[in-house]
């Protein structure tokens, strides 16, 4: 299970943080700071793995990727494959790149709500939900359309397909 | 998401803040604004509410508390329009804990959204439940979520979320998924074409099979099918191909699910799976594109795990090891890292160690990798693969690396090197070399355990002694040596320096000179060791060297008035003793051998290791015929081994009375020490200048001095009843005497003793230093108990007065007998009731400890910080305030520890200590000699290691401080139902109170006894 997704810049400012186990706000800050203090001392061209037991308890793993001014971090437990988690960061970044065409830190800073929407389409309750960035984009566009529609003509969105259950 | 200008403005304001303080001011302003708006519902449009709730989430991410807005976030969930509803769902799932009461209010809305016809609403609701749904949600929503997952009319977008939502509900409440009905559905789900739904369903399967693999055995072939579809047929839509690899996540999940089934029995399924695995193992190459590499190796490493799990044919195994061997030398750091990690896991499989050993030099190279993550993996692997054949190489590499390793790794490194050296030493002199090198290179990281251990080995192996002594001498020539090196070389040269006498530079006076050069550089705890060494050097010079004697006496004279009690005492005693000639030689004779025991180091390491590592090590340990160094079974010399003793001040664990007693024995020759000070016991001090763990002196104590908790010879509980004449078969003990006693130590009424004929209850009242107990002796039989006798054997510090007990207890009758107690001075000794009766022809006798323990004379007292700290500061240090690091504490959470303290009337004062890991406590002690006396205590715990803590205890009376400290320590270390001895303070004085336990230690072998004879 994925325990946390974090994005922070190279100064340690959090840009997005989502914890899939409930944590009080102070604890979240402590963890973000703790992770940053380890990350910022890592040289280039080393592995993307970190031992993080001291912060997140035993059997926790951390993978990160460093893009320009941002760190993308995933913390998870032993039930996930490390490299698959690293791939998932890549999916997230590629999706953001498509969303904002050449994403930069500012896009992430000022589209805070959209970031949440994107992340929720990729990671769901600590599990991998979707790995195709095309599918993620489709879902995110649908959401944007709904918002725009209800903003302009305040129409209750109609059901997308007939409900024939039960 | 669009058109929230307010949010953007706020974020940009925050970005413009120059410092944290400015940010806080801006955030406070915004929070004030949001609060006001939330209060004024009328002007709050849905748009504004949405904007504020987003701001709250942003503020929360910055680290500020936004609890006040939870209600507003939750209320948005029931908004009719999509944008508000979306915000409500997203923000609620980020901010709230699953037990939040507001969520209960929303549960109906959430359910309506899930069963409603609007798919976008369904998605939002599922996301909320999947992220923070708790048991309530699980109970009311699981069937609805299942329906969505298997519905053929729902879009994949909804179904994949339903699958993961169900996973969450199952985690919160396993009853959410009914095994019988669901197994078939689960299998059907795995036939799904849509990769998104399939990935989520496979995740769900992993959770289900990890709980109960048997029920889902029909899913096993389906997982293999998925792998065939992806890996062999490449039957995947383009958007699910990631860098040319068909959905690596789904492949990984399917293989992960398979690892929860113990085996694959169906031959055709097994064959199909092995074909796929073979393809993965062979068809993966390291390429230039990093992302492609990561993806293909994610699959490959999962395949390796599965192969290891399935215990494949040997050929395939060696193929795996070969692959791993390739990985640990590639350029790609991630693959190197995982290669090392998987090799360590591979160690658990038999037959591959030899192949792994071929890669030893490559692994050693990784120990120098620029990446600390990789270095740690390499260290783990080297540690795991070490055995007798390669220990020398590996340990020497570790030693070499030690000089350049970063500080964060040095401690682990030196511990591991020490353990390996001990476990697999090809010869003992090599072991000594390694440990001395360790101390030399990383003295700060060499714990006391490590050098104690080397001293034990040297003491127990005569062949080793000259070698160790000459090595120790060599290190002393170095210009700057670590203090631990001073300690260990001083100890060894004191004991065995005379073996070098013929070598140049090793005469007693030369040894003294070079050691004495170090004295000005060392700290207080090392000086006593040096003093002991000087005394031993002096003793070994035959014929006496007047020059040396003069120098050493000068040192003793100098420290005679040292402020440190330990140093002062040693100086005084050694000075006096060294004038005594022959007796001096006896007293300072060579240390006897240590009882063999399991290495505390290895034990420590086993406790620390994480499970995977540990099992690997254990497995290896079982296979390795290791050298005699590892002493598998501790041989208790006298009962169970006592816990680790603090060195040097070992004597201080003794009862202060013993000082008086032992001092009075040698005809007052050393009568100038105030016997009231709880200074260390003379005997044990002389016998064991270095009590390493339970040095043999622990044996001697039970003959000579009152026994502290530690030196107590342990008895089997049942033996508390000592049949006087013959074994009384007809009397059966009911309950555990020791347990009953310990329970009564913490409460004031209960059963003290019960057997098939009699029950003794006790009821007590305590006031100040007085206590009144009533013993209730009840005859359970229909015939009388005769020759009833109850005698009290009082310890020196209690005055006890028991009313006479009638000789006969009639059938079914109870007699009461009051017992008056007065506490004269602080002591942990316990009074004993010697109870006997005759039933028929059988004589039954029981020696029972009376729960008039130290804590009964404590009265709870809670202090405020204004009261506490001035008192605390007024107690300046020993002997009124004593500090000790206690190891081997049974791990307790802080609240539990506070309860324990309160239970023995040492009241914890919450909030006084600024560090939340510490406890401070206070109490009042009553005795005739001390009157009412305030006692203070402080416990500093280490959240990372609950088995050790530092304890400081202070009071206005030295012996009280000491006794209370020891009392608290006993409570923390023992599990208060264990088999502590029934026999208290068996002093050697005239009032020999109770039956001595039949001590297996014979007098002749016991140096303590010999010494006592001499004195």
């Amino acid at each position: 299970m994925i325990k946390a997704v974090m994005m922070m810049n190279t100064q340690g400012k959090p840009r997005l943080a989502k914890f899939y186990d409930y944590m009080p706000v102070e604890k979240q800050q402590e963890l973000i700071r703790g992770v940053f203090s380890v990350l910022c001392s890592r040289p280039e061209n080393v592995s993307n793995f970190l031992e993080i037991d001291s912060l997140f308890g035993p059997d926790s793993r951390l993978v990160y990727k460093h893009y320009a001014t941002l760190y993308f971090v995933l913390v998870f437990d032993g039930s996930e494959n490390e490299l698959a988690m690293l791939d998932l960061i890549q999916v997230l970044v590629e999706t953001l790149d498509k969303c904002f065409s050449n994403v930069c830190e500012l896009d992430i800073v000022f589209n805070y709500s959209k970031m949440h929407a994107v992340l929720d389409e990729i990671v769901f309750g600590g599990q991998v939900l979707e790995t195709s960035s095309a599918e993620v984009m489709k879902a995110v566009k649908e959401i944007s359309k709904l918002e725009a529609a209800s903003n302009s003509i305040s129409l209750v969105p109609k059901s997308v397909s007939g409900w024939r259950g039960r | 998401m669009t058109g929230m200008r307010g949010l953007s403005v706020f974020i940009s304001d925050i970005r413009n803040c120059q410092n944290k303080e400015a940010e806080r001011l801006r955030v406070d302003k915004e929070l004030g604004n949001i609060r006001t708006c939330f209060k004024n519902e009328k002007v709050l449009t849905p748009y504004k509410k949405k904007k504020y709730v987003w701001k709250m989430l942003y503020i929360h991410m910055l680290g500020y508390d936004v609890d006040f807005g939870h209600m507003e976030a939750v209320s948005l969930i029931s908004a009719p329009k999509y944008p508000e509803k979306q915000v409500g769902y997203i923000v609620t799932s980020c901010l709230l804990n699953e037990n939040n009461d507001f969520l209960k209010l929303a549960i109906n809305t959430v359910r309506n959204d899930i069963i409603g016809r609007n798919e976008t609403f369904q998605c939002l609701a599922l996301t909320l439940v999947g992220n923070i749904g708790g048991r309530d949600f699980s109970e009311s929503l699981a069937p609805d979520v299942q329906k969505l997952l298997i519905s053929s009319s729902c879009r994949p977008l909804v179904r994949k979320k339903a699958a993961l939502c169900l996973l969450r509900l199952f985690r919160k409440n396993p009853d959410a998924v009914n095994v019988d009905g669901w197994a078939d559905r689960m299998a059907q789900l795995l036939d799904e074409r849509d990769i998104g739904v399939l990935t989520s369903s496979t995740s769900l399967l992993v959770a289900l099979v990890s709980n109960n693999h048997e029920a889902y055995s029909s899913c096993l072939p389906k997982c293999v099918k998925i792998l065939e579809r992806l890996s062999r047929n490449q039957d995947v839509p383009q958007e699910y191909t990631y860098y040319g690899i068909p959905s690596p996540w789904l492949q990984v999940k399917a293989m992960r699910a398979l690892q929860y089934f113990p085996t694959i029995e169906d031959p055709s399924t097994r064959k199909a799976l092995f074909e796929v695995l073979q393809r993965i193992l062979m068809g993966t190459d390291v390429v230039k594109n990093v992302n492609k590499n990561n993806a293909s190796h994610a699959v490959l490493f999962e395949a390796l795990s599965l192969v290891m799990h399935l215990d494949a044919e040997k050929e395939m195994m060696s193929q795996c090891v070969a692959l791993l061997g390739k990985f640990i030398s590639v350029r790609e750091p991630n693959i190197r890292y995982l290669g090392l990690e998987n090799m360590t896991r591979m160690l658990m499989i038999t037959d591959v160690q030899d192949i792994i050993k071929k890669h030893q030099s490559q692994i050693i190279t990784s120990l120098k990798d620029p990446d600390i993550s990789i270095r740690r993996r390499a260290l783990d692997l080297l540690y795991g693969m070490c055995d007798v054949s390669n220990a020398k190489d590996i340990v020497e590499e570790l030693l070499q690396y030690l000089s350049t390793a970063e500080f964060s790794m040095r401690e682990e490194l030196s511990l591991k090197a020490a353990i390996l050296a001990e476990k697999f030493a090809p010869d003992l002199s090599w072991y000594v070399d390694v440990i001395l090198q360790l101390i030399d290179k990383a003295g700060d990281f060499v714990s006391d355990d490590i050098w104690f251990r080397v001293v034990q080995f040297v003491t127990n192996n005569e062949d080793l002694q000259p070698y160790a002594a000459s090595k120790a001498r060599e290190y002393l020539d170095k210009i700057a040596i670590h203090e631990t090196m001073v300690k260990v070389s001083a100890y060894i040269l004191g004991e065995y320096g005379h073996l070098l006498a013929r070598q140049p530079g090793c005469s007693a006076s030369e040894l003294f000179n070079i050691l004495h050069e170090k004295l000005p550089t060392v700290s207080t705890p090392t000086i006593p060791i040096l003093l002991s060494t000087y005394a031993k050097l002096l003793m070994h010079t035959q014929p006496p060297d007047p020059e040396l004697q003069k120098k050493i006496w000068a040192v003793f004279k100098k420290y005679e008035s040292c402020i440190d009690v330990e140093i002062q005492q040693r100086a005084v005693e050694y000075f006096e003793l060294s004038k005594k000639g022959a007796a001096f030689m006896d007293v300072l004779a060579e240390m006897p051998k240590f009882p063999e025991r399991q290495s505390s180091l290895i034990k420590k390491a086993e406790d620390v290791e994480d499970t995977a590592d540990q099992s690997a090590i254990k497995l290896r340990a079982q296979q390795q015929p290791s050298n005699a160094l590892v002493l598998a079974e501790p041989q208790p010399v006298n009962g169970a081994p006592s816990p680790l003793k603090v060195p040097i001040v070992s004597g201080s664990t003794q009862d202060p009375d013993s000082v008086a007693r032992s001092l009075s024995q040698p005809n007052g020759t050393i009568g100038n020490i105030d016997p009231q000070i709880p200074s260390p016991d003379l005997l044990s001090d002389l016998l064991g200048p270095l009590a390493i763990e339970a040095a043999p002196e622990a044996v001697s104590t039970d003959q000579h001095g009152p026994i502290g908790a530690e030196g107590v010879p342990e008895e089997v509980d049942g033996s508390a009843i000592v049949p006087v004449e013959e074994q009384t078969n007809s009397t059966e003990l009911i309950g555990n005497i020791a347990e009953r006693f310990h329970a009564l130590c913490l409460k004031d009424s209960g059963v003290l003793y019960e057997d098939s004929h009699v029950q003794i209850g006790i009821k007590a009242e305590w006031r100040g230093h007085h206590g009144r107990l009533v013993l209730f002796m009840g005859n359970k039989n229909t015939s009388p108990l005769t020759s009833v006798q109850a005698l009290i054997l009082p310890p020196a510090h209690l005055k006890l007065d028991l009313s006479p007990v009638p000789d006969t207890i009639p059938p079914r009758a109870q007699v009461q007998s009051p017992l008056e107690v007065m506490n004269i001075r602080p002591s942990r000794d316990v009074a004993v009731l010697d109870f006997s009766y005759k039933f028929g022809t059988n004589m039954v006798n029981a020696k029972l400890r009376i729960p008039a323990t130290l804590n009964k004379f404590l009265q709870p007292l809670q202090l405020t910080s204004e009261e506490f700290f001035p008192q605390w500061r007024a107690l300046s240090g020993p002997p009124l305030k004593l500090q000790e690091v206690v190891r081997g504490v049974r791990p307790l959470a802080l609240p539990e520890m506070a309860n324990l303290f309160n239970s023995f009337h040492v009241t914890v004062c919450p909030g006084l200590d600024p560090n939340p890991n510490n406890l401070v406590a206070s109490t009042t002690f009553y005795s005739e000699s001390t009157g009412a006396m305030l006692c203070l205590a402080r416990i500093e715990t280490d959240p990372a290691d609950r088995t050790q803590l530092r304890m400081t205890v202070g009071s206005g009376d030295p012996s009280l401080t000491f006794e209370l400290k020891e009392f608290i320590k006993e409570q923390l270390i023992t599990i208060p139902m264990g088999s502590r001895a029934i026999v208290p303070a068996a002093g050697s004085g005239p009032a020999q109170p109770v039956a001595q336990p039949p001590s297996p230690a014979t007098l002749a072998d016991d140096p303590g006894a010999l010494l006592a004879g001499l004195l």
Side-chain angles (χ1 to χ4, degrees), chain A residues 47-48 51 94 130 147, chain B residues 1 160 243 334 371 377:
Chain A
S47 71
N48 299 92
E51 293 206 353
E94 284 178 13
E130 183 54 71
E147 286 199 306
Chain B
M1 274 183 279
K160 66 188 183 190
Y243 289 91
N334 289 339
D371 184 355
R377 289 285 81 85

Side-chain angles (χ1 to χ4, degrees), chain A residues 117-125 127-130 135-136 139-140 142-143, chain B residues 82 114 119-131 145-146 148-149 155-169 194 196-201 204:
Chain A
V118 171
L119 181 60
D120 279 352
E121 291 301 321
I122 297 177
V123 181
F124 178 109
Q127 299 290 332
V128 180
L129 176 68
E130 183 54 71
E135 285 292 318
V136 177
V140 172
E142 223 169 80
I143 293 170
Chain B
Y82 181 82
I114 286 181
E119 289 199 332
T120 48
F121 286 9
Q122 284 174 342
C123 284
L124 290 174
L126 287 172
T127 308
L128 176 91
V129 179
N131 277 314
V145 175
Q146 287 178 10
L148 287 187
L149 173 55
R155 281 204 300 162
L157 183 69
V158 179
R159 293 180 57 211
K160 66 188 183 190
K161 287 180 179 165
L164 294 181
C165 186
L166 187 59
L167 192 165
R168 164 94 189 186
L169 298 181
D194 183 275
V197 177
L198 195 50
T199 307
S200 298
S201 302
L204 175 61

Side-chain angles (χ1 to χ4, degrees), chain B residues 153-306:
Chain B
S153 57
C154 274
R155 281 204 300 162
L157 183 69
V158 179
R159 293 180 57 211
K160 66 188 183 190
K161 287 180 179 165
L164 294 181
C165 186
L166 187 59
L167 192 165
R168 164 94 189 186
L169 298 181
F170 171 73
R171 287 242 166 92
K172 291 292 147 190
N173 170 22
D175 297 337
V177 177
N178 180 355
V179 175
D180 295 333
W182 192 253
D184 292 341
R185 297 241 158 94
M186 192 68 238
Q188 281 168 26
L189 278 170
L190 297 178
D191 291 330
E192 174 65 43
R193 292 296 303 166
D194 183 275
I195 302 286
V197 177
L198 195 50
T199 307
S200 298
S201 302
T202 316
S203 294
L204 175 61
L205 176 69
V206 170
L208 295 173
V209 291
S210 69
N211 195 41
N212 177 1
H213 64 84
E214 278 158 6
Y216 294 93
S217 55
S218 59
C219 296
L220 192 154
K222 305 269 181 169
C223 289
V224 178
K225 281 246 159 57
I226 294 174
L227 287 173
E228 285 185 298
R229 174 184 164 191
L230 295 178
S231 174
R232 190 181 69 198
N233 307 345
Q234 311 261 323
D235 173 13
V236 184
Q238 183 51 41
E239 67 263 31
Y240 282 102
T241 308
Y242 176 84
Y243 289 91
I245 317 290
S247 181
W249 298 275
L250 180 52
Q251 293 195 51
V252 162
K253 278 283 172 208
M255 286 192 270
R256 193 51 73 103
L258 286 171
Q259 290 172 57
Y260 284 101
F261 294 100
T263 54
I264 299 177
E265 270 153 24
D266 177 47
S268 64
T269 311
R270 191 176 166 93
K271 185 160 167 275
L273 178 61
F274 273 103
E275 270 174 32
V276 172
L277 291 174
Q278 187 70 32
R279 181 189 301 272
I280 296 172
L281 292 184
M282 296 316 293
T284 311
D285 282 320
V286 180
V287 292
K288 269 212 163 147
N289 185 313
V290 178
N291 292 322
K292 187 181 167 74
N293 256 339
N294 285 342
S296 62
H297 285 79
V299 177
L300 179 55
F301 277 109
E302 203 61 48
L304 277 170
S305 293
L306 184 54

Side-chain angles (χ1 to χ4, degrees), chain B residues 56 72 78 257 357 498-499 515-516 561 591 594 647 965:
Chain B
M56 267 171 37
E72 304 298 330
S78 34
K357 272 190 212 161
H498 60 282
L499 302 175
L515 280 169
H516 198 52
S561 52
M591 286 287 285
F594 289 90
K965 178 187 73 125

